[in-house]
Amino acid sequence: MTTSRVLHFLRGPATSPAPADRRGPRQPQRLRFPQAGEGMRLVSVACSSSSTGEDEGMTYKGAGVDIDAGTELVRRIRKMAPGIGGFGGLYPFGDDFLVAGTDGVGTKLKLAFETGIHDTIGIDLVAMSVNDIVTSGAEPMFFLDYFATSKLDVDLAEKVIKGIVDGCEQSDCVLLGGETAEMPDFYAEGEYDLSGFAVGKVKKDKLIDGKNIVKGDVLIGLPSSGVHSNGFSLARRVLQKSGLSLSDQLPRNDGITTTVGEALMAPTVIYVKQVLEIISKGGVKGLAHITGGGFTDNIPRVFPSGLGAKIFTGSWEVPPVFKWLQQVGNIDDAEMRRTFNMGIGMVLVVSRESADRIIEDTHGSSPAYRIGEVIEGEGVHYV
């Protein structure tokens, strides 16, 4: 029997990180673009296009991502595995539920390849899973990763794994192990793919499942750092249309200097510490991680049947990157709200009597905004 051309390396358990400050998520990192000679590749973004008119509004589906098809697949899977559908999967374990989540970072990886920025994409990977499981009130315990490439570049892979370690430290969990798969001819030269898996736990009597949400409850939004890790198939299409490179300045009128690449590559906020601290003080009934599907598809996932949301669209400042994406792509409001997080990465559903206290407690480096309320009738309505 010949030796397989696929090499697998099982990484052993990492040392548990020291307990970290639980005051809230770290400030978004300032990204550093590699200088010439550090592996920086030509900044250009290749996207297929089926647009038939220059002024036609861009859509996520037109960029190749069909949210409705994904929803239909979940519906079919539910027939085979009825327990799915939440942000995290629940497994009863004694007095606890183990809460598990898995995700990747999508085509944000394409921008990592273009910019040569590989040391923060691992933060995105951890964030996508731990932010999902914390919506049940679970404390993340450990994380595993999967790194796949056609030819292993050890230095590059080390940068990616370092970002994963940083993400684990931010969420107080352990990088327990992972898989490195080297698969010749499977990926383009210099490219790789990532997946991550997180497991946490929550006491059964502390589970947050949204079942006691009622009309009049308040929606509180925690700000994002930008696009996070969803919508990049559309964002890359907009970048192509704009004619800008990732090293060009992002058009904005607030006096802050930011390149397009810095704005798009800003690491996803890890909300674990901030959310668990808020939960510990009471009043939280449900949480929604705002990822693919935006407000429109994610917020209703935590509501009992017959309830919906009213969103106050002027209650927080939408970051300049979203305004630029919408203007250049001629994207309508409904499409933006179903594709991007629009500046809010986590939504908490809280009792009316707890809302003011929670907002007051989060002033400073980790603010929160009253962005809406629970109403009768299903769906998300914007006013």
Side-chain angles (χ1 to χ4, degrees), residues 309-321:
K310 179 191 294 183
I311 300 295
F312 309 134
T313 56
S315 57
W316 75 95
E317 180 65 28
V318 175
V321 65

Side-chain angles (χ1 to χ4, degrees), residues 264-328:
L264 292 175
M265 287 295 293
T268 304
V269 175
I270 292 178
Y271 295 101
V272 169
K273 295 176 185 177
Q274 183 181 16
V275 165
L276 289 176
E277 183 173 348
I278 293 172
I279 289 172
S280 71
K281 297 178 180 178
V284 178
K285 298 183 176 184
L287 297 108
H289 183 201
I290 308 304
T291 56
F295 280 17
T296 303
D297 286 0
N298 284 296
I299 293 177
R301 294 171 65 181
V302 304
F303 289 157
S305 179
L307 294 179
K310 179 191 294 183
I311 300 295
F312 309 134
T313 56
S315 57
W316 75 95
E317 180 65 28
V318 175
V321 65
F322 296 111
K323 298 176 182 178
W324 174 74
L325 288 168
Q326 182 168 22
Q327 181 179 14
V328 174

Side-chain angles (χ1 to χ4, degrees), residues 7-159:
L7 298 179
H8 298 285
F9 305 89
L10 180 63
R11 293 191 294 275
T15 303
S16 177
D21 186 332
R22 301 185 65 88
R23 288 174 294 179
R26 297 180 181 180
Q27 292 299 302
Q29 293 181 237
R30 180 71 174 177
L31 297 175
R32 173 183 175 271
F33 280 83
Q35 301 299 310
E38 293 184 20
M40 181 73 165
R41 297 170 63 193
L42 178 65
V43 177
S44 62
V45 178
C47 304
S48 61
S49 176
S50 59
S51 177
T52 57
E54 188 66 27
D55 296 326
E56 181 181 345
M58 291 184 171
T59 65
Y60 207 14
K61 186 174 183 178
V65 180
D66 188 342
I67 295 176
D68 292 326
T71 301
E72 171 61 17
L73 177 60
V74 171
R75 186 189 69 80
R76 296 186 189 187
I77 296 173
R78 271 204 191 102
K79 294 180 180 179
M80 299 178 278
I84 73 163
F87 289 98
L90 304 179
Y91 186 84
F93 192 77
D95 294 332
D96 298 325
F97 280 114
L98 298 182
V99 187
T102 181
D103 212 332
V105 294
T107 58
K108 188 172 187 175
L109 283 172
K110 288 287 189 182
L111 298 188
F113 306 151
E114 296 291 343
T115 61
I117 298 173
H118 301 284
D119 56 349
T120 59
I121 202 74
I123 297 174
D124 292 299
L125 184 67
V126 175
M128 295 304 291
S129 289
V130 297
N131 285 345
D132 272 353
I133 68 174
V134 81
T135 63
S136 297
E139 297 184 27
M141 297 188 298
F142 58 84
F143 187 86
L144 298 100
D145 71 277
Y146 174 80
F147 179 97
T149 187
S150 284
K151 183 173 177 56
L152 183 61
D153 180 332
V154 175
D155 291 337
L156 184 152
E158 182 183 24
K159 292 178 182 178

